[in-house]
Amino acid sequence: MTGPFDSLAAPAVRIAEVPTPVERFDVFGTATTSFWVKRDDLTHPLYGGNKVRKLERIFATAKALGRTRIVTVGALGSHHVLATTVHGTRAGFAVEAALVAQPVTDHVIENLRASLAQGLVAHPCRTWSGVPWAVLRRLGRDALYVPPGGSNVDGALGYVDAARELAAQIRGGLLPEPDLVYVTLGSGGTAAGIGAGFDLEGLRSKVVAVGVASPPFAVQWSLRRLYRQVAKRVGVATTSASFERRFDVDWSQFGAGYGHATPACEAAIREAHTSGLELDATYTGKTFAAARARVSVGDATSILFWHTLSASPRAPLLASAPSIEDLRSRPKLGPLLPTSRRT
Ligand SMILES: *Cc1c(COP(=O)(O)O)cnc(C)c1O
């Protein structure tokens, strides 16, 4: 199925400040392996990271279909919900989300307060089983449903755009064609889009998708499905052999599961910080740790880490945000925010 617009033209809604830089970090490489970072932490000064490119394609479809409301889903502290709220309201949409309870950390509370300050209409759910009802109740002819993580075909198409941008930077001599591209595998749209984009551009770089979300079999299935769908959308034929050639799925950093840091991840966060890169414990710290471990193996001449976390300061998003006490006093949200916080 083709969409309401040309999937290879630039997105009709432009939010990201592109091209994002590619930078070489000699401190993370060796004499025989160069280490590069694709700075998608810098996609937008107000709120960056990987969700911005996904949302450009999603919002373009919403506009083409005449929808004025976005209905989405995420955990309480979801980056996707925050990004959708920040950029969706600015693109003229009303943004609503079913928000599901998760272990409450300071980071989770901050994202939730920022989302509400930016205009999110929240529909709190105690468990994921409550989500379908919360979403169905809010759907209508004026609404577009966006799945968790923004990982539908449109979202993945945003990363086909990104892969094509990297290919142009390679052709322009800004970096060599990487042997390995390390990217976080959450809901899969980012990795799927990059893989299909590399196919389209004829790059030979292997996409190493570092698994951080559960359950692993479902995550892997979702990556395969999205890769197949988005490749078809841009006119690239795929088989399971082409998937195997293009991707390695790496679960070495999964540890105790989604949102649980590992010692290697914590070390990676500290190491990157000293070179001016901010990582997080759920997604990018694990991927960076895997990429650094691969440098030590010494089997690649060039490794690229695709940064996906927003580097933007939180303070501007938190101006006039509700206090935690205010959130605790709300009848449906309060019970999801126990007083003893894990940090
Ligand atoms: C959402 C997210 C990811 C995962 O991207 P998917 O497309 O869901 O696989 C990676 N890193 C960060 C910081 C994210 O917020």
Side-chain angles (χ1 to χ4, degrees), residues 50-51 54 79 149 151 184-191 280 283-284 308-310:
N50 65 335
K51 303 306 183 297
K54 293 171 147 193
H79 294 155
S151 278
T184 306
L185 172 58
S187 55
T190 305
D280 71 298
Y283 298 102
T284 51
T308 50
L309 180 74
S310 173

